Amino acid sequence: MSDSRLFKILYYLIEKGRATAPELAAAFEVSSRTIYRDVDALSSAGIPIYAEPGRKGGIGLLPGFLLDKALLDEDERQEVLTALQSISAAGYTAGKETLTKLSALFHADTENWLEVDFSRFEKSTSDNLKFKTLKTAIIQHRELKITYINTNSEKSTRIVQPLKLSYKSKEWYLKTFCLEKQDFRLFKLNRILAFELLEHTFIPRPYPELPDSRCQPYPKLLLLFSKEIAYRIYDEFDETQLEHQQNGDILACAEMPVDAWLTGYLLSFGTQVEIIEPAYLKEALAAQAQAIYEKNKP
């Protein structure tokens, strides 16, 4: 007798409600007589499973039994399901089977009120493989060899000790300790071009959640956006960072790193943004715009 089959019969009945012996026999590729023996085994183990004879009969579980025996209350069950659904929606498919089983176990529907999708528009198997590999490396404390491209389009190969996956501001990141730099480093997942799980293990160390005292503070930016483009501003700025002008324009005040991403972001607004501070960013953006013009002028 297979213990695995007994659990599968339970999951099947939880999800379907009830089933006939021939239906279960076909699903698990055994005889109906074997199914009845499995029912007896489950009943002997204290599971309130029953079999009704006749044309309208079948095999089922007493309603509410597994729900009554659950150790979590309703809010806690929904939190578990929501967490699994979010992980699954992010493109990591390994949790889907667990989500289905727990949804049936909790008698809960997870599809009617929430839809989360963190994945790219064109999903690929490489994203799933990357997520699984990073999860394995973190849980098993194994070092990773990665090829990474930074904001200056420079490629580098690093050996890192992966500590945690983090989702922040619409992006996945890998928190690590970099052996080359002998310091903590943060890598954006989409920019990890290649990865290799190594056999060497390490003792994990806590990733510093607060900025390191060696880090210089980001410069203060004052950016004036026209009212026509206001809807885009809320993608990157919080309402507390914004000051609404009388004519409808919006002044944004924030501390941000001045890098290639920021200049590209500001250029995407065209003439609908004006840099008030700092002056060097204003000059850099004007130079970029001039270079774009020179390269593309008719």
Side-chain angles (χ1 to χ4, degrees), residues 126-142:
S126 63
D127 284 343
N128 277 340
L129 177 60
K130 183 186 298 183
F131 204 104
K132 290 179 181 178
T133 303
L134 296 181
K135 172 197 169 187
T136 299
I138 294 169
I139 292 176
Q140 297 183 2
H141 309 317
R142 292 168 61 182

Side-chain angles (χ1 to χ4, degrees), residues 83-156:
L84 282 172
Q85 186 182 21
S86 299
I87 293 286
S88 177
Y92 177 58
T93 58
K96 287 185 177 180
E97 184 177 353
T98 305
L99 178 63
T100 300
K101 291 178 180 179
L102 287 181
S103 297
L105 184 67
F106 295 160
H107 294 185
D109 185 354
T110 62
E111 299 181 353
N112 292 333
W113 70 279
L114 175 68
E115 181 176 348
V116 183
D117 193 349
F118 296 148
S119 59
R120 290 184 269 191
F121 283 105
E122 295 184 4
K123 294 183 179 179
S124 65
T125 56
S126 63
D127 284 343
N128 277 340
L129 177 60
K130 183 186 298 183
F131 204 104
K132 290 179 181 178
T133 303
L134 296 181
K135 172 197 169 187
T136 299
I138 294 169
I139 292 176
Q140 297 183 2
H141 309 317
R142 292 168 61 182
E143 292 179 354
L144 273 174
K145 181 179 180 181
I146 64 172
T147 301
Y148 190 74
I149 184 166
N150 63 18
T151 54
N152 296 320
S153 298
E154 299 168 339
K155 291 183 182 179
S156 63

Side-chain angles (χ1 to χ4, degrees), residues 174-235:
L174 178 66
K175 294 182 175 181
T176 74
F177 184 83
C178 178
L179 297 184
E180 177 186 344
K181 302 296 183 181
Q182 283 297 297
D183 203 353
F184 296 96
R185 288 293 186 269
L186 189 68
F187 297 98
K188 184 178 286 189
L189 255 63
N190 286 343
R191 294 185 191 158
I192 297 178
L193 307 181
F195 50 92
E196 179 185 351
L197 185 61
L198 305 179
E199 293 300 323
H200 193 269
T201 59
F202 62 93
I203 299 175
R205 62 196 85 195
Y207 190 91
E209 299 301 332
L210 296 176
D212 192 290
S213 59
R214 295 167 295 174
C215 296
Q216 297 297 320
Y218 292 141
K220 180 180 179 181
L221 308 183
L222 282 179
L223 309 170
L224 184 63
F225 296 92
S226 65
K227 57 180 180 292
E228 288 79 14
I229 205 69
Y231 68 93
R232 281 189 59 194
I233 300 172
Y234 296 96
D235 291 339

